[in-house]
Amino acid sequence: WTIINQAMKDIIQCNYKQKNGIFEPLKGIKEFIKSVKGINGYFSSFDIDRKLIRAAKRLAAEHFAPEEVRLTQGQLDEKLQNMLILMTKVDCLTPLGLSEEEKNKKLQDIQSIDEANVLKIARLIIAGANPNLSISYYDRILTPLILLAGGYCQLYYKQINFLINLLLDYGANIDYQDNKGSTALWHAYEEFMEDAGTREVVLERLIDKKANV
């Protein structure tokens, strides 16, 4: 067990050094577990996948979210909810009367804030925030995955896809239905307000992740 634990630690440390490693903290872990079960008959005779994944998630939290991991479950969930709601209210409209230089500066500031908030959201998920958290959004009860897939959070499509992948790796129910019976895939198709190209990227990602069509 010590050797296996150290090997998973090495994998996570390698991910930590990658540019966007925070969005793939468990990259390579499932493949490693599969190889261990294939080599050692002792491990193949037990259902240890969940146990090893839990251990890997604890290691990932220590590396990627050392401060957030100290929070209680309630605090993690509250912070995740507040961050996502904040991202639905980002003012992307540039006030009239600004020069082109001032407009560009404002847009850069907004993008900088978005990137910082995306990293905060990622750390909360890695630290153990509930990936299926119920969030009130107008007349609907949505999950973090649906908020992102539906384009309700003012983020770039790459950031959305990064967070979608992370949520799914940490247990988000891809086919969860909101209080009106709609899934993340439905929201991505019907509600995504960005350009069609961006919507198609999100749809393809959900289908690739085995969302029910």
Side-chain angles (χ1 to χ4, degrees), residues 75-135:
Q75 290 172 326
L76 288 169
D77 292 348
E78 181 180 8
K79 285 181 177 292
L80 178 59
Q81 176 173 283
N82 291 341
M83 288 300 304
L84 288 170
I85 290 175
L86 172 67
M87 298 309 293
T88 67
K89 298 179 179 179
V90 173
D91 181 11
C92 291
L93 299 177
T94 304
L96 297 175
L98 295 182
S99 66
E100 284 302 315
E101 183 178 351
E102 289 172 326
K103 289 180 182 178
N104 291 333
K105 177 64 167 59
K106 180 175 175 60
L107 290 174
Q108 288 174 2
D109 290 342
I110 291 173
Q111 183 177 357
S112 178
I113 292 172
D114 284 354
E115 291 174 353
N117 287 338
V118 166
L119 293 177
K120 289 179 182 178
I121 291 171
R123 287 196 293 270
L124 289 168
I125 295 169
I126 294 171
N130 182 3
N132 296 301
L133 188 66
S134 295
I135 301 173

Short mmCIF file of all heavy atoms in Angstrom, two decimals, residues 75-135:
data_model
loop_
_atom_site.label_atom_id
_atom_site.label_comp_id
_atom_site.label_asym_id
_atom_site.label_seq_id
_atom_site.Cartn_x
_atom_site.Cartn_y
_atom_site.Cartn_z
N GLN A 75 -18.97 24.63 4.69
CA GLN A 75 -18.25 25.82 4.23
C GLN A 75 -17.84 25.68 2.76
O GLN A 75 -17.95 26.63 1.98
CB GLN A 75 -17.01 26.04 5.09
CG GLN A 75 -17.33 26.49 6.51
CD GLN A 75 -16.10 26.52 7.40
OE1 GLN A 75 -15.19 25.68 7.27
NE2 GLN A 75 -16.06 27.47 8.34
N LEU A 76 -17.40 24.48 2.37
CA LEU A 76 -17.02 24.24 0.98
C LEU A 76 -18.21 24.43 0.05
O LEU A 76 -18.11 25.09 -0.99
CB LEU A 76 -16.46 22.82 0.82
CG LEU A 76 -15.07 22.55 1.40
CD1 LEU A 76 -14.79 21.06 1.40
CD2 LEU A 76 -14.01 23.28 0.59
N ASP A 77 -19.34 23.84 0.43
CA ASP A 77 -20.54 23.94 -0.41
C ASP A 77 -21.03 25.38 -0.52
O ASP A 77 -21.42 25.83 -1.60
CB ASP A 77 -21.65 23.06 0.18
CG ASP A 77 -21.33 21.57 0.08
OD1 ASP A 77 -20.36 21.22 -0.62
OD2 ASP A 77 -22.04 20.78 0.71
N GLU A 78 -21.00 26.09 0.59
CA GLU A 78 -21.45 27.49 0.58
C GLU A 78 -20.57 28.35 -0.30
O GLU A 78 -21.06 29.18 -1.08
CB GLU A 78 -21.47 28.04 2.00
CG GLU A 78 -21.96 29.49 2.09
CD GLU A 78 -21.97 30.04 3.50
OE1 GLU A 78 -21.45 29.36 4.41
OE2 GLU A 78 -22.48 31.16 3.69
N LYS A 79 -19.26 28.15 -0.20
CA LYS A 79 -18.33 28.94 -1.01
C LYS A 79 -18.48 28.60 -2.49
O LYS A 79 -18.44 29.50 -3.34
CB LYS A 79 -16.89 28.69 -0.55
CG LYS A 79 -16.53 29.38 0.75
CD LYS A 79 -15.07 29.11 1.14
CE LYS A 79 -14.70 29.87 2.41
NZ LYS A 79 -14.68 31.34 2.18
N LEU A 80 -18.67 27.33 -2.82
CA LEU A 80 -18.85 26.95 -4.22
C LEU A 80 -20.13 27.58 -4.77
O LEU A 80 -20.13 28.13 -5.88
CB LEU A 80 -18.91 25.42 -4.36
CG LEU A 80 -19.15 24.90 -5.78
CD1 LEU A 80 -18.04 25.37 -6.73
CD2 LEU A 80 -19.25 23.38 -5.79
N GLN A 81 -21.19 27.50 -4.01
CA GLN A 81 -22.45 28.10 -4.45
C GLN A 81 -22.31 29.60 -4.67
O GLN A 81 -22.75 30.13 -5.70
CB GLN A 81 -23.54 27.83 -3.42
CG GLN A 81 -24.87 28.50 -3.75
CD GLN A 81 -25.98 28.10 -2.80
OE1 GLN A 81 -26.52 27.01 -2.91
NE2 GLN A 81 -26.31 28.97 -1.86
N ASN A 82 -21.67 30.27 -3.73
CA ASN A 82 -21.49 31.73 -3.84
C ASN A 82 -20.64 32.10 -5.04
O ASN A 82 -20.92 33.08 -5.74
CB ASN A 82 -20.88 32.29 -2.56
CG ASN A 82 -21.83 32.23 -1.38
OD1 ASN A 82 -23.05 32.10 -1.56
ND2 ASN A 82 -21.30 32.30 -0.18
N MET A 83 -19.59 31.32 -5.30
CA MET A 83 -18.71 31.60 -6.43
C MET A 83 -19.45 31.43 -7.76
O MET A 83 -19.32 32.26 -8.67
CB MET A 83 -17.49 30.68 -6.41
CG MET A 83 -16.47 30.99 -5.32
SD MET A 83 -15.77 32.65 -5.46
CE MET A 83 -15.12 32.60 -7.12
N LEU A 84 -20.22 30.37 -7.87
CA LEU A 84 -20.95 30.13 -9.12
C LEU A 84 -22.03 31.18 -9.35
O LEU A 84 -22.22 31.65 -10.48
CB LEU A 84 -21.56 28.73 -9.10
CG LEU A 84 -20.55 27.58 -9.23
CD1 LEU A 84 -21.22 26.25 -8.93
CD2 LEU A 84 -19.93 27.56 -10.62
N ILE A 85 -22.72 31.54 -8.29
CA ILE A 85 -23.73 32.59 -8.42
C ILE A 85 -23.07 33.91 -8.83
O ILE A 85 -23.59 34.65 -9.66
CB ILE A 85 -24.51 32.76 -7.10
CG1 ILE A 85 -25.39 31.53 -6.87
CG2 ILE A 85 -25.37 34.03 -7.13
CD1 ILE A 85 -26.11 31.53 -5.55
N LEU A 86 -21.91 34.19 -8.24
CA LEU A 86 -21.16 35.39 -8.60
C LEU A 86 -20.85 35.40 -10.10
O LEU A 86 -20.97 36.43 -10.76
CB LEU A 86 -19.86 35.46 -7.79
CG LEU A 86 -18.87 36.58 -8.18
CD1 LEU A 86 -19.46 37.93 -7.86
CD2 LEU A 86 -17.55 36.38 -7.44
N MET A 87 -20.47 34.24 -10.64
CA MET A 87 -20.10 34.16 -12.05
C MET A 87 -21.29 34.34 -12.98
O MET A 87 -21.12 34.62 -14.16
CB MET A 87 -19.41 32.82 -12.35
CG MET A 87 -18.10 32.62 -11.58
SD MET A 87 -16.96 34.02 -11.72
CE MET A 87 -16.55 33.93 -13.46
N THR A 88 -22.50 34.16 -12.47
CA THR A 88 -23.68 34.42 -13.31
C THR A 88 -24.00 35.90 -13.36
O THR A 88 -24.82 36.33 -14.18
CB THR A 88 -24.93 33.67 -12.78
OG1 THR A 88 -25.32 34.23 -11.53
CG2 THR A 88 -24.66 32.19 -12.64
N LYS A 89 -23.37 36.69 -12.49
CA LYS A 89 -23.69 38.11 -12.39
C LYS A 89 -22.55 39.01 -12.84
O LYS A 89 -22.58 40.21 -12.62
CB LYS A 89 -24.06 38.45 -10.95
CG LYS A 89 -25.29 37.71 -10.46
CD LYS A 89 -25.62 38.05 -9.02
CE LYS A 89 -26.87 37.32 -8.56
NZ LYS A 89 -27.19 37.62 -7.14
N VAL A 90 -21.52 38.41 -13.46
CA VAL A 90 -20.39 39.21 -13.93
C VAL A 90 -20.87 40.20 -14.98
O VAL A 90 -21.55 39.82 -15.93
CB VAL A 90 -19.28 38.32 -14.52
CG1 VAL A 90 -18.20 39.17 -15.15
CG2 VAL A 90 -18.66 37.46 -13.42
N ASP A 91 -20.52 41.47 -14.82
CA ASP A 91 -20.93 42.50 -15.77
C ASP A 91 -19.99 42.50 -16.96
O ASP A 91 -18.87 42.99 -16.88
CB ASP A 91 -20.92 43.88 -15.09
CG ASP A 91 -21.36 44.99 -16.04
OD1 ASP A 91 -21.87 44.65 -17.12
OD2 ASP A 91 -21.18 46.15 -15.69
N CYS A 92 -20.46 41.95 -18.06
CA CYS A 92 -19.63 41.89 -19.27
C CYS A 92 -19.94 43.04 -20.22
O CYS A 92 -19.45 43.06 -21.35
CB CYS A 92 -19.85 40.55 -19.98
SG CYS A 92 -19.20 39.14 -19.06
N LEU A 93 -20.78 43.94 -19.80
CA LEU A 93 -21.13 45.08 -20.66
C LEU A 93 -20.18 46.24 -20.41
O LEU A 93 -19.97 46.65 -19.27
CB LEU A 93 -22.57 45.51 -20.39
CG LEU A 93 -23.64 44.45 -20.66
CD1 LEU A 93 -25.01 44.99 -20.28
CD2 LEU A 93 -23.63 44.01 -22.11
N THR A 94 -19.62 46.76 -21.45
CA THR A 94 -18.71 47.90 -21.32
C THR A 94 -19.51 49.19 -21.37
O THR A 94 -20.25 49.42 -22.33
CB THR A 94 -17.68 47.89 -22.46
OG1 THR A 94 -17.00 46.64 -22.46
CG2 THR A 94 -16.69 49.02 -22.27
N PRO A 95 -19.42 50.03 -20.36
CA PRO A 95 -20.19 51.28 -20.33
C PRO A 95 -19.92 52.16 -21.55
O PRO A 95 -18.82 52.16 -22.11
CB PRO A 95 -19.69 51.96 -19.05
CG PRO A 95 -19.15 50.85 -18.21
CD PRO A 95 -18.58 49.87 -19.17
N LEU A 96 -20.93 52.91 -21.95
CA LEU A 96 -20.78 53.82 -23.08
C LEU A 96 -19.86 54.98 -22.69
O LEU A 96 -19.72 55.33 -21.53
CB LEU A 96 -22.15 54.37 -23.50
CG LEU A 96 -23.16 53.32 -24.01
CD1 LEU A 96 -24.51 54.00 -24.25
CD2 LEU A 96 -22.66 52.67 -25.28
N GLY A 97 -19.25 55.58 -23.68
CA GLY A 97 -18.44 56.77 -23.43
C GLY A 97 -16.98 56.48 -23.16
O GLY A 97 -16.20 57.41 -22.97
N LEU A 98 -16.59 55.19 -23.14
CA LEU A 98 -15.19 54.86 -22.89
C LEU A 98 -14.43 54.81 -24.21
O LEU A 98 -14.98 54.44 -25.25
CB LEU A 98 -15.07 53.51 -22.18
CG LEU A 98 -15.66 53.41 -20.77
CD1 LEU A 98 -15.41 52.01 -20.22
CD2 LEU A 98 -15.07 54.46 -19.84
N SER A 99 -13.17 55.15 -24.15
CA SER A 99 -12.32 55.05 -25.34
C SER A 99 -12.03 53.57 -25.59
O SER A 99 -12.27 52.72 -24.74
CB SER A 99 -11.01 55.80 -25.11
OG SER A 99 -10.25 55.15 -24.09
N GLU A 100 -11.50 53.26 -26.77
CA GLU A 100 -11.16 51.88 -27.10
C GLU A 100 -10.14 51.32 -26.12
O GLU A 100 -10.22 50.16 -25.71
CB GLU A 100 -10.62 51.80 -28.53
CG GLU A 100 -11.68 51.90 -29.61
CD GLU A 100 -12.74 50.83 -29.49
OE1 GLU A 100 -12.37 49.65 -29.28
OE2 GLU A 100 -13.93 51.17 -29.59
N GLU A 101 -9.19 52.16 -25.74
CA GLU A 101 -8.18 51.72 -24.78
C GLU A 101 -8.81 51.39 -23.43
O GLU A 101 -8.47 50.37 -22.80
CB GLU A 101 -7.12 52.81 -24.60
CG GLU A 101 -5.98 52.40 -23.66
CD GLU A 101 -4.92 53.49 -23.54
OE1 GLU A 101 -4.99 54.47 -24.31
OE2 GLU A 101 -4.05 53.34 -22.67
N GLU A 102 -9.74 52.23 -23.00
CA GLU A 102 -10.42 52.00 -21.72
C GLU A 102 -11.30 50.76 -21.78
O GLU A 102 -11.39 49.99 -20.81
CB GLU A 102 -11.26 53.23 -21.35
CG GLU A 102 -10.42 54.44 -20.95
CD GLU A 102 -11.27 55.69 -20.78
OE1 GLU A 102 -12.28 55.84 -21.52
OE2 GLU A 102 -10.92 56.51 -19.93
N LYS A 103 -11.97 50.54 -22.92
CA LYS A 103 -12.79 49.35 -23.10
C LYS A 103 -11.94 48.09 -23.01
O LYS A 103 -12.31 47.11 -22.35
CB LYS A 103 -13.52 49.41 -24.44
CG LYS A 103 -14.63 50.43 -24.52
CD LYS A 103 -15.27 50.40 -25.90
CE LYS A 103 -16.38 51.45 -26.01
NZ LYS A 103 -16.98 51.45 -27.37
N ASN A 104 -10.80 48.10 -23.71
CA ASN A 104 -9.91 46.94 -23.69
C ASN A 104 -9.38 46.66 -22.29
O ASN A 104 -9.25 45.51 -21.87
CB ASN A 104 -8.74 47.15 -24.66
CG ASN A 104 -9.19 47.12 -26.11
OD1 ASN A 104 -10.19 46.50 -26.45
ND2 ASN A 104 -8.44 47.81 -26.97
N LYS A 105 -9.08 47.74 -21.56
CA LYS A 105 -8.59 47.58 -20.19
C LYS A 105 -9.66 46.94 -19.31
O LYS A 105 -9.37 46.04 -18.51
CB LYS A 105 -8.20 48.95 -19.62
CG LYS A 105 -7.74 48.93 -18.16
CD LYS A 105 -6.46 48.10 -17.99
CE LYS A 105 -5.82 48.32 -16.63
NZ LYS A 105 -6.71 47.97 -15.50
N LYS A 106 -10.91 47.38 -19.47
CA LYS A 106 -12.00 46.82 -18.67
C LYS A 106 -12.20 45.34 -18.98
O LYS A 106 -12.37 44.52 -18.09
CB LYS A 106 -13.31 47.58 -18.93
CG LYS A 106 -14.49 47.05 -18.12
CD LYS A 106 -15.73 47.88 -18.30
CE LYS A 106 -16.91 47.26 -17.57
NZ LYS A 106 -16.70 47.13 -16.12
N LEU A 107 -12.14 45.00 -20.27
CA LEU A 107 -12.31 43.61 -20.67
C LEU A 107 -11.18 42.75 -20.12
O LEU A 107 -11.39 41.61 -19.70
CB LEU A 107 -12.37 43.51 -22.19
CG LEU A 107 -13.64 44.06 -22.84
CD1 LEU A 107 -13.51 44.02 -24.35
CD2 LEU A 107 -14.87 43.27 -22.40
N GLN A 108 -9.96 43.28 -20.10
CA GLN A 108 -8.82 42.55 -19.54
C GLN A 108 -9.00 42.33 -18.04
O GLN A 108 -8.68 41.26 -17.51
CB GLN A 108 -7.53 43.31 -19.81
CG GLN A 108 -7.09 43.28 -21.27
CD GLN A 108 -5.88 44.17 -21.52
OE1 GLN A 108 -5.34 44.79 -20.61
NE2 GLN A 108 -5.46 44.23 -22.78
N ASP A 109 -9.53 43.35 -17.36
CA ASP A 109 -9.76 43.24 -15.93
C ASP A 109 -10.80 42.16 -15.64
O ASP A 109 -10.65 41.36 -14.71
CB ASP A 109 -10.24 44.58 -15.35
CG ASP A 109 -9.13 45.62 -15.32
OD1 ASP A 109 -7.96 45.23 -15.43
OD2 ASP A 109 -9.45 46.82 -15.20
N ILE A 110 -11.87 42.14 -16.45
CA ILE A 110 -12.92 41.14 -16.28
C ILE A 110 -12.36 39.75 -16.50
O ILE A 110 -12.63 38.81 -15.74
CB ILE A 110 -14.09 41.41 -17.24
CG1 ILE A 110 -14.83 42.69 -16.83
CG2 ILE A 110 -15.07 40.23 -17.27
CD1 ILE A 110 -15.90 43.13 -17.81
N GLN A 111 -11.54 39.60 -17.55
CA GLN A 111 -10.95 38.29 -17.85
C GLN A 111 -10.04 37.84 -16.72
O GLN A 111 -10.04 36.67 -16.34
CB GLN A 111 -10.16 38.35 -19.16
CG GLN A 111 -9.59 36.99 -19.57
CD GLN A 111 -8.88 37.05 -20.90
OE1 GLN A 111 -8.86 38.08 -21.56
NE2 GLN A 111 -8.31 35.94 -21.31
N SER A 112 -9.29 38.76 -16.15
CA SER A 112 -8.40 38.43 -15.04
C SER A 112 -9.19 37.96 -13.82
O SER A 112 -8.82 36.99 -13.16
CB SER A 112 -7.56 39.66 -14.68
OG SER A 112 -6.71 39.38 -13.58
N ILE A 113 -10.29 38.65 -13.54
CA ILE A 113 -11.16 38.26 -12.43
C ILE A 113 -11.75 36.88 -12.69
O ILE A 113 -11.80 36.01 -11.81
CB ILE A 113 -12.28 39.29 -12.22
CG1 ILE A 113 -11.68 40.62 -11.73
CG2 ILE A 113 -13.31 38.78 -11.22
CD1 ILE A 113 -12.68 41.76 -11.69
N ASP A 114 -12.20 36.63 -13.93
CA ASP A 114 -12.77 35.34 -14.30
C ASP A 114 -11.77 34.22 -14.06
O ASP A 114 -12.11 33.18 -13.48
CB ASP A 114 -13.17 35.34 -15.78
CG ASP A 114 -14.45 36.13 -16.04
OD1 ASP A 114 -15.06 36.56 -15.06
OD2 ASP A 114 -14.80 36.31 -17.21
N GLU A 115 -10.54 34.39 -14.51
CA GLU A 115 -9.53 33.36 -14.37
C GLU A 115 -9.24 33.06 -12.90
O GLU A 115 -9.10 31.89 -12.52
CB GLU A 115 -8.25 33.79 -15.09
CG GLU A 115 -8.39 33.83 -16.61
CD GLU A 115 -7.17 34.39 -17.30
OE1 GLU A 115 -6.27 34.88 -16.59
OE2 GLU A 115 -7.11 34.33 -18.54
N ALA A 116 -9.18 34.09 -12.08
CA ALA A 116 -8.93 33.90 -10.65
C ALA A 116 -10.09 33.14 -10.01
O ALA A 116 -9.88 32.24 -9.19
CB ALA A 116 -8.73 35.25 -9.96
N ASN A 117 -11.32 33.49 -10.40
CA ASN A 117 -12.49 32.83 -9.83
C ASN A 117 -12.60 31.38 -10.28
O ASN A 117 -13.03 30.51 -9.52
CB ASN A 117 -13.76 33.59 -10.22
CG ASN A 117 -13.90 34.89 -9.45
OD1 ASN A 117 -13.32 35.07 -8.39
ND2 ASN A 117 -14.67 35.82 -9.99
N VAL A 118 -12.23 31.10 -11.52
CA VAL A 118 -12.25 29.73 -12.03
C VAL A 118 -11.29 28.86 -11.21
O VAL A 118 -11.62 27.71 -10.87
CB VAL A 118 -11.88 29.71 -13.53
CG1 VAL A 118 -11.56 28.29 -13.98
CG2 VAL A 118 -13.01 30.26 -14.36
N LEU A 119 -10.14 29.39 -10.90
CA LEU A 119 -9.17 28.63 -10.08
C LEU A 119 -9.72 28.40 -8.68
O LEU A 119 -9.52 27.32 -8.10
CB LEU A 119 -7.84 29.39 -10.02
CG LEU A 119 -7.07 29.49 -11.33
CD1 LEU A 119 -5.81 30.33 -11.14
CD2 LEU A 119 -6.69 28.10 -11.84
N LYS A 120 -10.42 29.38 -8.13
CA LYS A 120 -11.02 29.22 -6.80
C LYS A 120 -12.08 28.12 -6.83
O LYS A 120 -12.16 27.30 -5.92
CB LYS A 120 -11.65 30.54 -6.35
CG LYS A 120 -10.65 31.62 -5.99
CD LYS A 120 -11.36 32.91 -5.58
CE LYS A 120 -10.36 34.02 -5.26
NZ LYS A 120 -11.06 35.29 -4.91
N ILE A 121 -12.89 28.12 -7.88
CA ILE A 121 -13.92 27.10 -8.03
C ILE A 121 -13.28 25.72 -8.13
O ILE A 121 -13.73 24.76 -7.49
CB ILE A 121 -14.79 27.39 -9.26
CG1 ILE A 121 -15.65 28.64 -9.03
CG2 ILE A 121 -15.70 26.19 -9.59
CD1 ILE A 121 -16.37 29.12 -10.27
N ALA A 122 -12.22 25.62 -8.91
CA ALA A 122 -11.53 24.33 -9.07
C ALA A 122 -10.99 23.83 -7.73
O ALA A 122 -11.12 22.64 -7.40
CB ALA A 122 -10.39 24.48 -10.09
N ARG A 123 -10.40 24.72 -6.95
CA ARG A 123 -9.84 24.31 -5.66
C ARG A 123 -10.93 23.83 -4.71
O ARG A 123 -10.73 22.87 -3.96
CB ARG A 123 -9.05 25.45 -5.04
CG ARG A 123 -7.71 25.72 -5.73
CD ARG A 123 -6.81 26.58 -4.88
NE ARG A 123 -7.33 27.93 -4.70
CZ ARG A 123 -7.06 28.94 -5.50
NH1 ARG A 123 -6.27 28.78 -6.56
NH2 ARG A 123 -7.57 30.14 -5.28
N LEU A 124 -12.09 24.47 -4.75
CA LEU A 124 -13.20 24.06 -3.88
C LEU A 124 -13.70 22.66 -4.26
O LEU A 124 -13.99 21.83 -3.39
CB LEU A 124 -14.35 25.06 -3.98
CG LEU A 124 -14.09 26.43 -3.33
CD1 LEU A 124 -15.17 27.42 -3.74
CD2 LEU A 124 -14.02 26.31 -1.82
N ILE A 125 -13.77 22.39 -5.56
CA ILE A 125 -14.20 21.07 -6.03
C ILE A 125 -13.20 20.01 -5.59
O ILE A 125 -13.56 18.94 -5.08
CB ILE A 125 -14.37 21.06 -7.55
CG1 ILE A 125 -15.50 22.01 -7.97
CG2 ILE A 125 -14.65 19.65 -8.06
CD1 ILE A 125 -15.58 22.27 -9.46
N ILE A 126 -11.92 20.30 -5.78
CA ILE A 126 -10.87 19.35 -5.41
C ILE A 126 -10.85 19.10 -3.91
O ILE A 126 -10.59 17.98 -3.44
CB ILE A 126 -9.50 19.86 -5.90
CG1 ILE A 126 -9.46 19.87 -7.43
CG2 ILE A 126 -8.36 19.00 -5.35
CD1 ILE A 126 -8.24 20.57 -8.01
N ALA A 127 -11.17 20.14 -3.15
CA ALA A 127 -11.14 20.02 -1.68
C ALA A 127 -12.33 19.22 -1.16
O ALA A 127 -12.33 18.82 0.01
CB ALA A 127 -11.12 21.40 -1.05
N GLY A 128 -13.34 18.99 -2.00
CA GLY A 128 -14.46 18.15 -1.58
C GLY A 128 -15.83 18.78 -1.58
O GLY A 128 -16.77 18.20 -1.03
N ALA A 129 -15.99 19.96 -2.18
CA ALA A 129 -17.32 20.56 -2.29
C ALA A 129 -18.24 19.61 -3.06
O ALA A 129 -17.80 18.90 -3.96
CB ALA A 129 -17.25 21.91 -2.98
N ASN A 130 -19.50 19.60 -2.71
CA ASN A 130 -20.47 18.70 -3.34
C ASN A 130 -20.64 19.03 -4.82
O ASN A 130 -21.13 20.11 -5.16
CB ASN A 130 -21.82 18.83 -2.61
CG ASN A 130 -22.87 17.89 -3.16
OD1 ASN A 130 -22.60 17.09 -4.06
ND2 ASN A 130 -24.07 17.99 -2.64
N PRO A 131 -20.27 18.11 -5.74
CA PRO A 131 -20.39 18.40 -7.17
C PRO A 131 -21.83 18.39 -7.66
O PRO A 131 -22.11 18.82 -8.78
CB PRO A 131 -19.58 17.26 -7.81
CG PRO A 131 -19.71 16.14 -6.84
CD PRO A 131 -19.70 16.78 -5.48
N ASN A 132 -22.75 17.89 -6.82
CA ASN A 132 -24.16 17.85 -7.18
C ASN A 132 -24.99 18.80 -6.32
O ASN A 132 -26.19 18.57 -6.08
CB ASN A 132 -24.69 16.42 -7.06
CG ASN A 132 -24.01 15.48 -8.05
OD1 ASN A 132 -24.07 15.69 -9.26
ND2 ASN A 132 -23.36 14.45 -7.55
N LEU A 133 -24.35 19.84 -5.87
CA LEU A 133 -24.98 20.85 -5.03
C LEU A 133 -26.21 21.45 -5.72
O LEU A 133 -26.18 21.74 -6.90
CB LEU A 133 -23.96 21.95 -4.75
CG LEU A 133 -24.29 23.04 -3.74
CD1 LEU A 133 -24.40 22.46 -2.34
CD2 LEU A 133 -23.22 24.12 -3.78
N SER A 134 -27.30 21.62 -4.96
CA SER A 134 -28.52 22.25 -5.51
C SER A 134 -28.41 23.76 -5.38
O SER A 134 -28.19 24.28 -4.28
CB SER A 134 -29.76 21.75 -4.77
OG SER A 134 -29.94 20.36 -4.99
N ILE A 135 -28.55 24.47 -6.50
CA ILE A 135 -28.42 25.92 -6.52
C ILE A 135 -29.66 26.54 -7.15
O ILE A 135 -30.06 26.17 -8.25
CB ILE A 135 -27.17 26.34 -7.32
CG1 ILE A 135 -25.91 25.71 -6.70
CG2 ILE A 135 -27.04 27.86 -7.38
CD1 ILE A 135 -24.65 25.93 -7.51
#
